[in-house]
């Protein structure tokens, strides 16, 4: 046989080539020859071991051939090990958590980390905690709550770029908090191995764009639960700062919409958080989830946005209505549903005052889950406004907005009084120069024009 049953080598005209390659370069034969030459095992021991392996393989083949075909709907049932509507606050911590923490965290380490946590909680209560600090607080709480939780990040000892892993290695040690090399594919792959062996790894990417170098691993973790027949749940959380803000000036390499690239990965939950409250409240359920999750924060707002958090609480994985259009604007037909995420949340909030001056208003919905999409919240808003504008932080082709628009048109067409407007990035690399970038990356001024067009048919 060739590469697969559908690709037998005799049809490729490469039988002689493959025969020669197996004779001279078969890695199994080379390994066997080296082991026997070094005296690791004898030729007779090797033959006996090969017989045992052959029996195991035959047993597995017979089991597969004699098993019934899986039911047709099983793939959909195995999409997520933890249902999206789960109340993550009800998930109990491991019974051994306190015992393991006592054995592995010294009194001095406990004192330091609890002092750090208390400082962050006080900032949260005072409305002064940043997105990065809120994530760091959530990670510490979860690592103390569940000692199987681990963390991988670059420049981890120094807190990485935004302080997300701050004080983790100093508290939990080198095994649970690993300072990684600049190879995202390596430590995402390492985390998959940890997740398949009873741990609950977190991967922090300095910039989520760098997840591109771990795309094969990201795709694999999304497939594992189904391919293993539900045997491996793979509780892995990848998180970090990303997206593309207006006037970001990070250039094309640091401004790619990875969230759009991974939308098609089966079994992967994708979430965003544009405020400290959301960052804290969504980080915790992502870590507790038994499947692979990807959580993205707005790179330009990691330290800029300050606010409060609902301490100790997991948020539901749903979209959030941040601003509700006035009843007057709805009655007059001057209300629009706006869907956005990451930096688009701030841009949308900045547009409301100007729109109100024009006697217009918006239902502003933050898409805190890109996959699965919260279609119920979108439907509730469209039943009021009947108009939709999407401020999208990905490209027009193959972007997040394209997916949302198609689903709305397929499932809620009767609620639309006008075509959906998508304010997406142009299909071009994001320029570094601001004079070029302002045309490519959409912002509050574009949103104002889009809403005005929907309400008045003028720009």
């Amino acid at each position: 046989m060739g590469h697969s049953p559908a690709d037998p080598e005799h049809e490729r005209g490469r039988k002689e080539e493959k025969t020669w390659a197996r004779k001279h370069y078969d890695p199994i034969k080379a390994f066997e020859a080296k082991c026997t030459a070094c005296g690791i095992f004898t030729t007779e021991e090797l033959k006996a071991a090969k017989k045992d392996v052959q029996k195991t393989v035959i047993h597995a083949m017979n089991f597969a051939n004699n098993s019934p075909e899986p039911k047709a709907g099983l793939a959909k049932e195995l999409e997520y090990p933890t249902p999206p509507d789960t109340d993550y606050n009800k998930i109990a911590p491991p019974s051994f958590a306190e015992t393991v923490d006592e054995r592995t965290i010294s009194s001095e380490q406990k004192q330091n980390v609890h002092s750090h946590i208390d400082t962050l909680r006080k900032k949260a209560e005072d409305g002064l905690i940043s997105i990065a600090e809120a994530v760091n607080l959530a990670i510490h709480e979860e690592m103390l709550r569940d000692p199987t939780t681990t963390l991988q990040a670059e420049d981890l000892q120094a807190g990485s770029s935004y302080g997300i892993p701050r004080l983790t290695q100093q508290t939990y040690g080198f095994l649970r908090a690993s300072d990684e090399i600049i190879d995202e594919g390596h430590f995402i792959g390492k985390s998959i191995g940890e997740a398949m062996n009873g741990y609950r790894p977190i991967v922090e990417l300095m910039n989520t764009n760098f997840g591109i170098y771990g795309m094969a691993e990201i795709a694999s973790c999304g497939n594992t639960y189904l391919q293993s027949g539900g045997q491996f749940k793979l509780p892995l959380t990848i998180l970090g700062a990303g997206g593309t803000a207006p006037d970001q000036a990070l250039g094309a390499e640091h401004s790619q919409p990875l969230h759009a690239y991974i939308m098609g990965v089966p079994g992967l939950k994708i979430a965003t958080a544009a405020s400290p409250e959301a960052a804290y409240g969504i980080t915790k359920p992502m870590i507790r989830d038994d499947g692979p999750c990807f959580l993205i924060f707005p790179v330009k707002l990691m330290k800029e946005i300050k606010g409060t958090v609902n301490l100790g609480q997991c948020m539901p994985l749903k979209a959030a209505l941040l601003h509700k259009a006035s009843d007057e604007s709805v009655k007059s037909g001057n209300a629009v549903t706006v869907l956005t995420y990451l930096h688009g949340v701030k841009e949308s909030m900045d547009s409301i005052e100007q729109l109100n001056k024009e006697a217009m208003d918006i239902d502003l919905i933050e898409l805190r889950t890109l996959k699965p999409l919260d279609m119920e919240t979108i439907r509730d808003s469209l039943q009021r406004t009947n108009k939709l504008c999407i401020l999208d932080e990905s490209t027009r082709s193959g972007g997040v907005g394209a997916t949302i628009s198609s689903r709305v048109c397929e499932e809620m067409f009767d609620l639309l009084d006008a075509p959906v407007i998508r304010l997406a990035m142009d299909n071009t690399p994001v320029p570094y120069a601001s004079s070029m970038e302002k045309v490519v990356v959409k912002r509050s001024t574009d949103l104002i024009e889009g809403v005005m067009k929907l309400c008045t048919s003028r720009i």
Side-chain angles (χ1 to χ4, degrees), residues 14-86:
R14 297 176 58 192
K15 188 172 183 179
E16 290 184 7
E17 175 187 339
K18 298 296 285 187
T19 300
W20 176 85
R22 287 171 182 154
K23 179 179 179 181
H24 295 280
Y25 294 103
D26 187 325
I28 296 177
K29 290 182 178 179
F31 176 75
E32 292 172 352
K34 187 168 184 178
C35 288
T36 51
C38 294
I40 296 175
F41 46 66
T42 66
T43 302
E44 292 304 314
E45 289 172 333
L46 175 61
K47 289 180 179 178
K50 291 174 75 172
K51 285 184 178 180
D52 288 340
V53 170
Q54 191 174 28
K55 287 180 182 178
T56 301
V57 171
I58 291 172
H59 175 75
M61 291 176 63
N62 290 336
F63 173 80
N65 290 331
N66 295 327
S67 295
E69 288 290 323
K71 60 181 180 179
L74 184 60
K76 185 61 179 175
E77 291 179 18
L78 295 177
E79 183 178 12
Y80 301 119
T82 303
D85 59 354
T86 295

Side-chain angles (χ1 to χ4, degrees), residues 219-280:
S220 292
C221 72
N223 294 332
T224 299
Y225 185 55
L226 170 63
Q227 289 187 317
S228 67
Q231 296 181 76
F232 291 106
K233 293 183 177 181
L234 214 86
L236 164 64
T237 304
I238 304 173
L239 51 77
T244 307
D247 305 313
Q248 183 165 289
L250 289 177
E253 292 298 327
H254 285 53
S255 303
Q256 300 180 74
L258 181 71
H259 47 282
Y261 300 169
I262 60 176
M263 282 283 283
V265 175
L268 183 67
K269 290 176 183 169
I270 307 170
T272 70
S275 67
E277 179 185 28
Y280 175 88

Side-chain angles (χ1 to χ4, degrees), residues 325 372 404:
I404 298 169

Side-chain angles (χ1 to χ4, degrees), residues 170-248:
Q170 294 88 333
T171 302
Y172 311 107
F174 294 95
L175 292 179
R176 286 188 64 195
S178 177
D179 203 339
E180 290 295 344
I181 61 174
I182 305 176
D183 184 350
E184 287 73 17
H186 156 72
F187 58 86
I188 293 174
K190 170 188 168 186
S191 297
I192 292 174
E194 289 184 1
M196 294 175 73
N197 284 278
Y199 291 89
R200 194 168 290 275
I202 306 165
V203 171
E204 191 252 352
L205 301 176
M206 279 189 175
N207 188 299
T208 55
N209 288 274
F210 304 149
I212 291 170
Y213 301 105
M215 284 296 288
E217 289 75 16
I218 293 171
S220 292
C221 72
N223 294 332
T224 299
Y225 185 55
L226 170 63
Q227 289 187 317
S228 67
Q231 296 181 76
F232 291 106
K233 293 183 177 181
L234 214 86
L236 164 64
T237 304
I238 304 173
L239 51 77
T244 307
D247 305 313
Q248 183 165 289

Side-chain angles (χ1 to χ4, degrees), residues 14 68-69 96 115 137 159 216-217 254-255 339 351 389 392 408:
R14 297 176 58 192
E69 288 290 323
F96 53 79
S115 175
L137 174 59
E217 289 75 16
H254 285 53
S255 303
L339 305 180
S351 73
C389 184
D392 188 11
V408 168

Side-chain angles (χ1 to χ4, degrees), residues 173-458:
F174 294 95
L175 292 179
R176 286 188 64 195
S178 177
D179 203 339
E180 290 295 344
I181 61 174
I182 305 176
D183 184 350
E184 287 73 17
H186 156 72
F187 58 86
I188 293 174
K190 170 188 168 186
S191 297
I192 292 174
E194 289 184 1
M196 294 175 73
N197 284 278
Y199 291 89
R200 194 168 290 275
I202 306 165
V203 171
E204 191 252 352
L205 301 176
M206 279 189 175
N207 188 299
T208 55
N209 288 274
F210 304 149
I212 291 170
Y213 301 105
M215 284 296 288
E217 289 75 16
I218 293 171
S220 292
C221 72
N223 294 332
T224 299
Y225 185 55
L226 170 63
Q227 289 187 317
S228 67
Q231 296 181 76
F232 291 106
K233 293 183 177 181
L234 214 86
L236 164 64
T237 304
I238 304 173
L239 51 77
T244 307
D247 305 313
Q248 183 165 289
L250 289 177
E253 292 298 327
H254 285 53
S255 303
Q256 300 180 74
L258 181 71
H259 47 282
Y261 300 169
I262 60 176
M263 282 283 283
V265 175
L268 183 67
K269 290 176 183 169
I270 307 170
T272 70
S275 67
E277 179 185 28
Y280 175 88
I282 297 176
T283 296
K284 294 173 80 70
M286 293 276 102
I287 295 172
R288 296 183 190 186
D289 197 289
D290 280 335
C293 300
F294 208 115
L295 176 55
I296 307 169
F297 315 107
V299 64
K300 195 175 179 182
L301 305 178
M302 293 297 288
K303 298 180 180 181
E304 177 183 330
I305 297 290
K306 304 289 175 68
T308 61
V309 304
N310 192 2
L311 291 170
Q313 294 298 305
C314 298
M315 278 186 171
L317 301 184
K318 293 175 64 67
L321 179 63
L322 302 182
H323 175 82
K324 189 174 183 179
S326 66
D327 292 338
E328 292 79 5
S329 65
V330 172
K331 290 177 183 178
S332 63
N334 287 330
V336 174
T337 297
V338 173
L339 305 180
T340 192
Y341 57 98
L342 295 177
H343 303 91
V345 174
K346 181 179 183 298
E347 294 298 311
S348 300
M349 293 296 290
D350 290 345
S351 73
I352 293 174
E353 183 179 357
Q354 181 61 39
L355 288 169
N356 289 166
K357 290 179 180 178
E358 300 287 342
M360 301 173 194
D361 210 345
I362 61 174
D363 268 7
L364 174 55
I365 296 175
E366 179 184 2
L367 298 171
R368 291 179 177 170
T369 55
L370 302 182
K371 193 163 81 75
L373 274 171
D374 178 6
M375 299 302 288
E376 182 180 350
T377 298
I378 297 172
R379 180 184 293 276
D380 289 345
S381 177
L382 283 178
Q383 286 175 337
R384 298 179 68 241
T385 68
N386 305 115
K387 291 179 282 293
L388 177 60
C389 184
I390 304 170
L391 181 55
D392 188 11
E393 213 157 309
S394 59
T395 51
R396 190 163 187 81
S397 297
V400 171
T403 297
I404 298 169
S405 179
S406 66
R407 286 200 59 183
V408 168
C409 290
E410 289 170 5
E411 301 172 30
M412 307 175 194
F413 184 76
D414 58 324
L415 296 178
L416 296 174
D417 288 346
V420 175
I421 287 183
R422 286 197 289 131
L423 304 173
M425 298 195 308
D426 289 348
N427 294 325
T428 178
V430 178
Y432 179 88
S434 296
S435 59
M436 300 165 63
E437 183 252 27
K438 67 182 180 182
V439 179
V440 176
V441 180
K442 304 304 183 283
R443 57 203 71 205
S444 60
T445 51
D446 299 294
L447 178 60
I448 291 170
E449 290 180 357
V451 170
M452 291 177 67
K453 182 177 181 180
L454 282 169
C455 292
T456 66
S457 298
R458 63 181 174 86

